Amino acid sequence: MVKSWVNSAERIGVDLHLELSGAGGRRAVLIRALREAVRSGRLAAGTRLPPYRSLAADLGVARNTVADAYAELVAEGWLTARQGSGTRVAAGVTSAVPGRRGGGEAAPGGEGSRAARPVPVRARGPRHDLRQGTPDASAFPRAAWSASYRRALQAAPSEAFGPGDPAGRGELREALSEYLARARGVRAEPDRIVVCSGFAHALRLLFGQGGGGVLRGPLAVEAYGLGFHREVLSAAGVRSVPVALDEYGARVEELGGQRAVLLTPAHQFPTGGPLHPERRAGVIEWARARGALVVEDDYDGEFRYDRKPVGALQGLDPERVIHVGSVSKSLSPALRLGWMVLPGRLVGPVLAAKGEREAWASVPDQLALADFLVSGSYDRHVRRMRQRYRGRRDRLVGMLAERAPQVEVTGVAAGLHAVLRLPPGTEGSVVKAAAWQGVALDGLAAFRHPDAGMVAPDGVVIGYATPPEHAYGAALEALCGVLPPG
């Protein structure tokens, strides 16, 4: 296929010539031609591209072909798209040609070599960030945290600034023991708590690298979950086996001969909903009968809205459940503070696996969190954010009921995200349209285990906690604009 397109200066303000040639479908050829135009410097940073409808008419291709090509290049960082300003070449994209704006010297080996094809650099984040996984960064309690930090440093003994304890500061483990028992129903003496930097760090400590961890695989996991956690397990040589989900959570009755299972029992991630009480009891019975363990990811257990709190699974059997939590959702992922509540027999092996001090969490941060918990500041912050996020959840549900009644909203009784169920076959187009409009969100398929045999519904996962308060309304408007019509 060989076709030339010359765009008129009146339409976008510049003359542009593209050669559409080579193997592949029309979408792939168009993407390749646009990349080459940017890479060679013929399309400079900030250059506005024609509307996809106009380009489609000029090329004689379907509008979706051009829209998908634009969306792909936006997602890769070559282009940016904003309402009112059109689609433009992204700032910061490097050129392989010497002397071009944004480029340096061409790499050895010629223009066609692999080294001469630099990776585009995204100049800025999306206009509207609705990805799951982070709280509202603007709501971090700076004044209260600063006060706790000052008090903690003033009260800290001199030995706190020495090598320290691999289990974590005693002050923090004492504070966590009281808080987790009161707020989450965890049965935890301080000497069973090991401080870590978050859930991924806990997984690395438990399963190690190359099969050298405290626990061994295979590990059963929920059919939907974070791909990053599966990557951590894979890097450790641990095979993960998916367990099917339904409206009652993981189908734990299908667990077999695995040595452990990883669950999100308070709020299944990302589909939503707690593990049914009968299945909570069932997985404990399975662990006892098999001599197995349950790894409990209690990632957002404090945030519930329309139901009573669901206590930690660990409370049913502290010798069979490893309870893992962190402040990533309640305070900030930047703090890198988490904890494991371990069966007594695993404390020593986990501390041995922790090893060098470089893997330990910051002692001043640990002391500050201990004060934050003991002073009641943590409880006050969680209650305040629970009300704020509930209000955001209600705004999302209300706007979708009015503007997109064909979309079903699920998993909203707790947590910081919702799942929007979409008509079959529309998930991919919605994710691409969102990227093209500068809306960052996650497709539900991205969280599905590659070996899961269950039917995969179409949907998107919306993190309603992520945008700052002043930008939330505009983010919802943009979201409604990319959803399929009813």
Side-chain angles (χ1 to χ4, degrees), residues 4 18-19 31 52-53 56 96 113 123-124 136 152 167 170 179 190 207 236 267 321 367 404 476:
S4 297
L18 290 177
E19 288 288 345
I31 290 174
Y52 71 88
R53 292 178 179 85
S113 71
R124 60 179 66 85
D136 179 0
Y179 172 77
F207 292 96
H267 185 223
V321 180
L367 294 172
L476 293 186

Short mmCIF file of all heavy atoms in Angstrom, two decimals, residues 4 18-19 31 52-53 56 96 113 123-124 136 152 167 170 179 190 207 236 267 321 367 404 476:
data_model
loop_
_atom_site.label_atom_id
_atom_site.label_comp_id
_atom_site.label_asym_id
_atom_site.label_seq_id
_atom_site.Cartn_x
_atom_site.Cartn_y
_atom_site.Cartn_z
N SER A 4 0.04 8.92 -0.60
CA SER A 4 0.55 10.17 -0.05
C SER A 4 -0.60 11.02 0.40
O SER A 4 -1.68 10.99 -0.17
CB SER A 4 1.36 10.93 -1.12
OG SER A 4 2.48 10.17 -1.51
N LEU A 18 3.02 12.81 4.30
CA LEU A 18 3.29 11.48 4.86
C LEU A 18 3.28 10.46 3.74
O LEU A 18 2.41 10.49 2.86
CB LEU A 18 2.21 11.09 5.89
CG LEU A 18 2.19 11.83 7.22
CD1 LEU A 18 1.01 11.35 8.05
CD2 LEU A 18 3.49 11.64 7.98
N GLU A 19 4.24 9.54 3.79
CA GLU A 19 4.24 8.41 2.86
C GLU A 19 3.74 7.19 3.63
O GLU A 19 4.37 6.72 4.58
CB GLU A 19 5.66 8.15 2.34
CG GLU A 19 6.16 9.17 1.36
CD GLU A 19 5.48 9.08 0.01
OE1 GLU A 19 4.82 8.04 -0.25
OE2 GLU A 19 5.59 10.02 -0.78
N ILE A 31 0.61 4.65 11.97
CA ILE A 31 1.38 4.85 13.20
C ILE A 31 2.87 4.93 12.88
O ILE A 31 3.59 5.80 13.38
CB ILE A 31 1.10 3.71 14.21
CG1 ILE A 31 -0.32 3.84 14.77
CG2 ILE A 31 2.13 3.71 15.34
CD1 ILE A 31 -0.72 2.68 15.66
N TYR A 52 -8.98 13.88 13.56
CA TYR A 52 -8.94 12.55 12.97
C TYR A 52 -9.99 12.37 11.89
O TYR A 52 -9.80 11.60 10.94
CB TYR A 52 -9.05 11.48 14.06
CG TYR A 52 -10.39 11.34 14.73
CD1 TYR A 52 -11.38 10.51 14.20
CD2 TYR A 52 -10.67 12.00 15.93
CE1 TYR A 52 -12.60 10.35 14.82
CE2 TYR A 52 -11.89 11.85 16.54
CZ TYR A 52 -12.86 11.03 15.99
OH TYR A 52 -14.07 10.89 16.62
N ARG A 53 -11.11 13.09 11.98
CA ARG A 53 -12.13 12.99 10.94
C ARG A 53 -11.59 13.53 9.61
O ARG A 53 -11.79 12.94 8.55
CB ARG A 53 -13.38 13.76 11.35
CG ARG A 53 -14.13 13.15 12.51
CD ARG A 53 -15.33 14.01 12.88
NE ARG A 53 -16.08 13.44 13.99
CZ ARG A 53 -15.80 13.63 15.27
NH1 ARG A 53 -14.75 14.38 15.59
NH2 ARG A 53 -16.52 13.08 16.22
N ALA A 56 -8.93 11.15 8.25
CA ALA A 56 -9.56 9.95 7.72
C ALA A 56 -10.13 10.21 6.34
O ALA A 56 -10.01 9.37 5.42
CB ALA A 56 -10.65 9.47 8.68
N ALA A 96 16.19 11.76 16.20
CA ALA A 96 17.42 11.04 15.85
C ALA A 96 18.30 11.82 14.90
O ALA A 96 19.34 11.36 14.50
CB ALA A 96 17.05 9.69 15.22
N SER A 113 19.49 2.07 12.54
CA SER A 113 19.89 1.14 13.57
C SER A 113 18.97 1.23 14.77
O SER A 113 18.27 2.20 14.99
CB SER A 113 21.33 1.43 14.02
OG SER A 113 21.36 2.64 14.75
N ALA A 123 6.24 14.59 28.33
CA ALA A 123 6.58 15.86 28.96
C ALA A 123 5.76 16.11 30.21
O ALA A 123 6.23 16.73 31.14
CB ALA A 123 6.36 17.00 27.97
N ARG A 124 4.54 15.61 30.23
CA ARG A 124 3.69 15.86 31.40
C ARG A 124 2.73 14.70 31.55
O ARG A 124 2.57 13.88 30.65
CB ARG A 124 2.93 17.17 31.22
CG ARG A 124 2.04 17.19 29.98
CD ARG A 124 1.30 18.50 29.87
NE ARG A 124 2.20 19.59 29.63
CZ ARG A 124 2.63 19.93 28.41
NH1 ARG A 124 2.26 19.23 27.36
NH2 ARG A 124 3.44 20.93 28.24
N ASP A 136 -5.61 10.94 47.21
CA ASP A 136 -5.45 12.33 46.79
C ASP A 136 -4.19 12.90 47.44
O ASP A 136 -4.16 13.13 48.65
CB ASP A 136 -6.69 13.13 47.19
CG ASP A 136 -6.61 14.60 46.82
OD1 ASP A 136 -5.59 15.02 46.24
OD2 ASP A 136 -7.57 15.33 47.11
N ALA A 152 8.41 13.30 67.54
CA ALA A 152 9.13 12.03 67.51
C ALA A 152 10.64 12.24 67.56
O ALA A 152 11.36 11.54 68.28
CB ALA A 152 8.73 11.24 66.27
N ALA A 167 13.44 -5.63 62.73
CA ALA A 167 11.99 -5.79 62.87
C ALA A 167 11.26 -4.45 62.80
O ALA A 167 10.06 -4.42 62.55
CB ALA A 167 11.66 -6.48 64.19
N GLY A 170 10.59 -0.32 68.05
CA GLY A 170 9.64 -0.83 69.02
C GLY A 170 8.45 0.09 69.22
O GLY A 170 7.32 -0.35 69.43
N TYR A 179 -3.36 -0.31 67.40
CA TYR A 179 -4.26 0.17 66.36
C TYR A 179 -4.89 -0.97 65.57
O TYR A 179 -6.11 -0.98 65.33
CB TYR A 179 -3.51 1.10 65.39
CG TYR A 179 -4.35 1.47 64.20
CD1 TYR A 179 -5.36 2.43 64.31
CD2 TYR A 179 -4.19 0.82 62.98
CE1 TYR A 179 -6.17 2.75 63.23
CE2 TYR A 179 -4.98 1.14 61.88
CZ TYR A 179 -5.97 2.10 62.02
OH TYR A 179 -6.79 2.40 60.95
N PRO A 190 3.47 -7.10 69.62
CA PRO A 190 4.51 -6.33 68.90
C PRO A 190 5.64 -7.19 68.35
O PRO A 190 6.18 -6.87 67.28
CB PRO A 190 5.02 -5.35 69.97
CG PRO A 190 3.86 -5.17 70.89
CD PRO A 190 3.18 -6.50 70.94
N PHE A 207 8.92 -14.54 49.73
CA PHE A 207 9.19 -15.51 48.67
C PHE A 207 10.60 -15.41 48.09
O PHE A 207 11.01 -16.28 47.33
CB PHE A 207 8.15 -15.37 47.56
CG PHE A 207 6.78 -15.79 48.00
CD1 PHE A 207 5.86 -14.85 48.43
CD2 PHE A 207 6.42 -17.13 48.01
CE1 PHE A 207 4.60 -15.24 48.86
CE2 PHE A 207 5.16 -17.53 48.43
CZ PHE A 207 4.24 -16.58 48.86
N ALA A 236 10.72 -14.17 41.57
CA ALA A 236 11.20 -15.02 42.65
C ALA A 236 11.10 -16.51 42.31
O ALA A 236 11.40 -17.35 43.15
CB ALA A 236 10.41 -14.73 43.92
N HIS A 267 -11.76 -6.36 50.67
CA HIS A 267 -12.26 -5.63 49.49
C HIS A 267 -11.50 -6.16 48.28
O HIS A 267 -10.39 -5.72 48.00
CB HIS A 267 -12.02 -4.12 49.67
CG HIS A 267 -12.60 -3.28 48.58
ND1 HIS A 267 -11.93 -2.22 48.02
CD2 HIS A 267 -13.80 -3.33 47.95
CE1 HIS A 267 -12.68 -1.66 47.09
NE2 HIS A 267 -13.82 -2.32 47.03
N VAL A 321 -2.45 -17.12 59.06
CA VAL A 321 -2.64 -15.94 58.21
C VAL A 321 -1.50 -14.96 58.44
O VAL A 321 -1.18 -14.62 59.58
CB VAL A 321 -3.99 -15.25 58.48
CG1 VAL A 321 -4.15 -14.04 57.56
CG2 VAL A 321 -5.14 -16.23 58.28
N LEU A 367 9.26 6.51 63.55
CA LEU A 367 8.94 7.20 64.82
C LEU A 367 7.80 8.18 64.62
O LEU A 367 6.93 8.32 65.48
CB LEU A 367 10.19 7.91 65.33
CG LEU A 367 11.36 7.00 65.77
CD1 LEU A 367 12.59 7.85 66.07
CD2 LEU A 367 10.96 6.18 66.98
N ALA A 404 -24.74 8.34 31.84
CA ALA A 404 -24.42 7.06 31.21
C ALA A 404 -25.15 5.93 31.93
O ALA A 404 -24.53 5.03 32.53
CB ALA A 404 -22.91 6.82 31.22
N LEU A 476 -14.62 13.87 35.96
CA LEU A 476 -15.84 13.11 35.73
C LEU A 476 -16.49 13.49 34.41
O LEU A 476 -17.01 12.64 33.68
CB LEU A 476 -16.83 13.33 36.88
CG LEU A 476 -16.42 12.76 38.25
CD1 LEU A 476 -17.57 12.94 39.24
CD2 LEU A 476 -16.03 11.30 38.15
#
